[in-house]
Amino acid sequence: QVQLVESGGGLVQPGGSLRLSCAASGFTFRYFDMSWYRQTPGRERELVATITGTGITNYSDSVKGRFTISRDNAKSTMYLQMNSLKPEDTAVYYCKRPRVDPHAVDYWGQGTQVTVST
């Protein structure tokens, strides 16, 4: 069974840094593009960043220049380095693996809470 487990969230002051991890299992990790999303109460889940199986990255405008997505295929793990954090970055952060075809499903982790506050 596909499993995605996020970790690394916590409380950090504005301007601080945090690194999130997503440990994957149950599939051949290197074959899949992966993504980070985030969600706050009252808002839709938002795409933060994506990375292809070979390391090509894309970022939302709100985090570009501050966040870096990366992956270690040998460890089946994806990361999100978050620098210059702002209060508006506060959210539950999720990793996602896309479906393999239209009959399959997207897979999500349980999420990790990031709180940016004084």
Side-chain angles (χ1 to χ4, degrees), residues 36-39 43-49 60 62-63:
W36 284 101
Y37 286 73
R38 66 187 181 187
Q39 188 168 30
R43 302 192 66 173
E44 296 182 352
R45 191 166 294 188
E46 172 192 19
L47 176 63
V48 175
S60 69
S62 62
V63 307

Side-chain angles (χ1 to χ4, degrees), residues 49-82:
T50 61
I51 184 167
T52 71
T54 56
I56 300 171
T57 61
N58 259 79
Y59 300 90
S60 69
D61 290 341
S62 62
V63 307
K64 193 168 187 177
R66 300 187 298 119
F67 291 10
T68 303
I69 188 171
S70 62
R71 65 194 294 160
D72 185 339
N73 286 338
K75 296 181 178 180
S76 296
T77 302
M78 177 177 65
Y79 305 95
L80 186 67
Q81 179 65 48
M82 310 165 68

